[in-house]
């Protein structure tokens, strides 16, 4: 498995330049340049996405980069039979309905050569915060490269008045992060709250998941797993909670989305020392991420997802996975992944298989 590690500096120009270089490396080799260019097959990607996802994902720069490398995106009309559309080399979607799942199964049975990204039932597994972390909890990733854990958590499905008792019985310690149980693709599904005291817990709105807050130095590692490639970037996250905070705060506070946390120390309200030396904070070890990527890709049955990971403050190698997201924003990496699929098709084309 290939791994690209980079420190996010939020400079779009550098990211775009790096993406172009990476894509150039994956472009089909020139074999009899004129003949190959004229006869090389294109990669057609049919997509069935929400309007919001289309707007955020299919950016002009991505489309231009893809077009230069022989990749075209074609919208799938869900009101028409899928068999009457195409032909497609890849189907990209983020739909989990039973009806759509049956459509894809029937289509793939007739067209086994088409790559479907990814199985609807596997995607649906990540739409529930209880089930998404179960696969991680069962992993045995404790070795000399580090340890990967999940935070202790409690699922509440109803009756908010019972939450304080349930928390006490589970032995969870405050503060607690409250997240919606279901990730439904809306902004509400990503709302985060921090509960400082027991009395405020009954103010929460089930169904939800309560996770113990783990101090992590205000740094989050986003681990992108696309095909066999793993890339990790570092983002500013939520500030740590100390004894003073616990003694002087009551109630429930709404938090910014961790995955969208501010990139600057001022905006993120970070400790100045952390902000000044954040670039020196060590990324998780490559072998640990490679193993994590292999295991999760196999267990989840997915090829397009990312993991939100933190390192417990005061430790060197104890990491916690706090969320897993399907098909997040990694446009340039996704282009490279498609180019690898195009290469496979190109090789089959040349070999006549």
């Amino acid at each position: 498995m290939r791994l690209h590690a980079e420190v996010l500096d939020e400079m779009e120009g550098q990211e775009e330049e790096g993406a172009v270089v990476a894509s150039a490396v994956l472009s089909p080799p020139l074999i009899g340049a004129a003949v190959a260019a004229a006869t090389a097959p294109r990669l057609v990607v049919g997509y069935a996405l929400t309007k919001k996802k289309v707007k955020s994902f299919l950016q002009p720069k991505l489309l231009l980069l893809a077009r230069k490398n022989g990749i075209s995106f074609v919208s799938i009309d869900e009101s028409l039979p899928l068999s009457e559309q195409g032909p497609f080399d890849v189907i990209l979607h983020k739909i989990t309905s039973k009806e759509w799942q049956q459509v894809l199964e029937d289509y793939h049975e007739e067209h086994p050569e088409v790559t479907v990204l990814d199985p609807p039932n596997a995607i649906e597994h990540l739409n529930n915060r209880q089930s998404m972390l179960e696969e991680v909890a069962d992993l045995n990733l404790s070795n000399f490269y580090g340890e990967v854990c999940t935070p202790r958590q409690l699922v509440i499905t109803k009756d908010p008045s019972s939450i304080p008792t349930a928390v006490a019985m589970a032995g969870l310690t405050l503060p607690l992060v409250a997240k919606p149980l279901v990730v439904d693709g809306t902004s509400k599904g990503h709302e985060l709250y921090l509960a400082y005291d027991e009395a405020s817990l009954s103010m929460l709105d089930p169904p939800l998941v309560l996770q113990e807050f783990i101090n992590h130095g205000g740094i989050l590692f986003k681990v992108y797993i696309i095909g066999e490639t793993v890339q990790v970037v570092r983002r500013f996250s939520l500030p740590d909670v100390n004894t003073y905070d616990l003694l002087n705060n009551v109630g429930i506070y709404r938090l910014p989305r961790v995955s969208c946390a501010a990139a600057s120390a001022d905006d993120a309200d970070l400790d100045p020392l952390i902000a000044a030396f954040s670039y020196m904070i060590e990324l998780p070890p490559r072998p640990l991420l490679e193993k994590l990527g292999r295991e999760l890709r196999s267990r989840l049955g997915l090829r397009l997802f990312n993991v939100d990971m933190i390192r417990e403050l005061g430790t060197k190698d104890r990491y916690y996975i706090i969320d897993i997201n399907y098909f997040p924003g990694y446009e340039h990496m996704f282009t490279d992944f498609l180019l690898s699929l195009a290469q496979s098709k190109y090789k089959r084309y040349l070999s006549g298989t």
Side-chain angles (χ1 to χ4, degrees):
M1 179 181 296
R2 295 169 292 146
L3 179 104
H4 302 289
E6 65 179 39
V7 177
L8 187 70
D9 57 11
E10 298 297 323
M11 296 182 66
E12 294 291 335
Q14 291 184 8
E15 291 183 350
E16 291 163 8
E17 180 182 356
V20 173
V21 172
S23 299
V25 173
L26 289 173
S27 297
L30 294 177
I31 305 175
V35 176
T39 59
R42 297 176 58 84
L43 193 77
V44 180
V45 181
Y47 63 89
L49 305 171
T50 63
K51 292 182 179 179
K52 179 180 177 181
K53 191 63 180 179
V54 170
K55 183 177 180 180
S56 65
F57 180 67
L58 294 179
Q59 295 290 318
K61 293 178 181 178
L62 170 67
L63 296 175
L64 177 61
L65 180 61
R67 187 161 56 249
K68 287 182 177 179
N69 288 278
I71 299 172
S72 58
F73 291 88
V74 178
S75 176
I76 292 175
D77 189 339
E78 296 176 53
S79 67
L80 298 176
L82 189 56
S83 58
E84 296 179 6
Q85 303 178 65
F88 304 115
D89 300 297
V90 177
I91 292 181
L92 174 67
H93 72 103
K94 200 175 182 180
I95 302 173
T96 58
S97 68
K98 296 298 183 182
E99 294 79 9
W100 176 252
Q101 183 173 345
Q102 189 61 53
V103 168
L104 278 185
E105 289 178 358
D106 293 343
Y107 182 82
H108 195 256
E109 186 174 342
E110 296 180 8
H111 303 277
E113 74 283 359
V114 177
T115 301
V116 176
L117 300 173
D118 273 309
N121 59 335
I123 298 174
E124 189 174 12
H125 194 70
L126 296 188
N127 290 342
N128 183 295
R129 284 195 166 92
Q130 180 179 18
S131 61
M132 75 165 58
L133 294 185
E134 288 176 350
E135 298 295 346
V136 181
D138 292 337
L139 290 177
N140 181 18
L141 290 182
S142 299
N143 54 37
F144 61 93
Y145 292 116
E147 179 182 6
V148 178
C149 317
T150 56
R152 298 177 64 193
Q153 68 177 29
L154 177 66
V155 176
I156 304 293
T157 58
K158 56 184 179 179
D159 189 12
S161 64
S162 67
I163 297 178
T165 301
V167 167
M169 292 181 62
L172 298 182
T173 57
L174 296 164
L176 294 172
V177 178
K179 306 177 180 181
L181 176 62
V182 177
V183 183
D184 58 4
T186 67
S187 57
K188 183 176 177 59
H190 293 281
E191 290 180 351
L192 299 176
Y193 296 88
L194 189 62
Y196 276 99
D197 63 287
E198 182 178 321
S200 65
L201 293 174
S202 57
M203 299 168 58
L204 294 169
D205 185 21
L208 53 83
V209 171
L210 295 175
Q211 287 183 353
E212 285 189 326
F213 184 86
I214 298 168
N215 283 335
H216 52 284
I219 295 295
L220 170 79
F221 303 107
K222 294 193 75 68
V223 183
Y224 295 96
I225 301 168
I226 302 93
E228 296 185 358
T229 300
V230 176
Q231 177 174 330
V232 57
V233 298
R234 184 184 58 193
R235 294 188 187 274
F236 289 155
S237 180
L238 306 173
D240 293 333
V241 176
N242 54 38
T243 303
Y244 178 85
D245 296 324
L246 288 174
L247 294 176
N248 291 274
N249 287 287
V250 293
I252 298 174
Y253 293 81
R254 184 171 180 175
L255 303 172
R257 282 182 58 185
V258 172
S259 59
C260 295
S264 71
D266 292 338
D267 292 339
D269 192 25
L270 292 177
D271 184 305
L273 290 177
I274 293 175
F277 298 103
S278 62
Y279 66 92
M280 299 178 60
I281 294 178
E282 186 178 358
L283 292 167
R286 173 180 299 193
L288 184 68
L289 294 179
E290 288 179 338
K291 186 174 182 181
L292 175 66
R294 285 195 302 270
E295 291 290 337
L296 285 183
R297 193 173 64 249
S298 174
R299 285 170 174 257
L300 296 174
L302 297 170
R303 284 184 279 182
L304 305 172
F305 61 98
N306 92 282
V307 170
D308 289 343
M309 176 187 288
I310 58 176
R311 181 193 290 119
E312 184 176 0
L313 186 68
T315 72
K316 183 180 180 181
D317 56 5
R318 185 179 299 137
Y319 300 91
Y320 287 83
I321 291 178
I322 58 175
D323 236 332
I324 305 177
N325 303 289
Y326 182 71
F327 194 7
Y330 42 65
E331 288 81 357
H332 298 306
M333 284 187 66
F334 183 72
T335 302
D336 290 346
F337 173 57
L338 289 179
L339 287 170
S340 70
L341 295 180
Q343 271 194 321
S344 299
K345 178 184 177 183
Y346 186 76
K347 290 177 180 177
R348 293 195 301 270
Y349 174 83
L350 292 178
S351 64
T353 60

